[in-house]
Amino acid sequence: MGNKVTRRNLALSVVALVLGLACAQTTPSAPNQRQPLTSPSGSFVLTLPIEENRVNPQYEGTRVWKVTISDPDGNVVYKDARSEFVGYLNVYWVWDSDDRVWLYSSDTGDVFFWELVGDEWVKTRWGAAGREIDRPLEPPPELYPPYAH
């Protein structure tokens, strides 16, 4: 009889595991980690693939999150080739109402933003424990994960 209980428990455990994995794969990511993410104007689409670094010697051989901005047709207009956001740590991102990309690094607490200046995307470090730039810009509150509020 003990053998039947063990087999039954094992079977139930396997079913629970399979159902758990299926649910995990269909659960959407955090709101500030969804991709692709279209800008408020609809002019740009943001993705953050994790790719092997091939340009930044400091992170040679490391997989990094790469801020990638495309037009609505899928043509890449910007990719952060010198990314330092290692792929095994979390980052969070949002667009603001002015089509700026904001990114929060959970590893360092750093906040960066990317904005279109003329016809070029420019990456700027906003700060870590607060604004460290001379512009009155603030990241959208939804950028931060719940533990960082």
Side-chain angles (χ1 to χ4, degrees), residues 70-121:
S70 302
D71 66 20
D73 295 326
N75 301 305
V76 174
V77 296
Y78 173 84
K79 184 173 251 186
D80 187 2
R82 300 194 55 81
S83 176
E84 298 176 358
F85 308 113
V86 293
Y88 55 82
L89 298 170
N90 265 328
V91 295
Y92 301 87
W93 56 85
V94 295
W95 287 101
D96 71 11
S97 59
D98 293 317
D99 279 2
R100 274 187 215 94
V101 172
W102 290 85
L103 181 138
Y104 170 74
S105 169
S106 67
D107 177 41
T108 62
D110 285 323
V111 174
F112 290 84
F113 65 90
W114 287 257
E115 64 185 336
L116 192 56
V117 178
D119 61 353
E120 185 176 330
W121 284 92

Side-chain angles (χ1 to χ4, degrees), residues 8-21:
R8 181 173 178 220
N9 287 345
L10 178 61
L12 288 173
S13 295
V14 169
V15 168
L17 177 64
V18 169
L19 288 174
L21 289 173

Side-chain angles (χ1 to χ4, degrees), residues 41-61:
S41 72
S43 299
F44 304 103
V45 178
L46 174 66
T47 56
L48 277 95
I50 298 174
E51 299 176 347
E52 186 174 334
N53 168 58
R54 297 181 191 269
V55 176
N56 189 341
Q58 182 179 354
Y59 292 91
E60 188 173 339

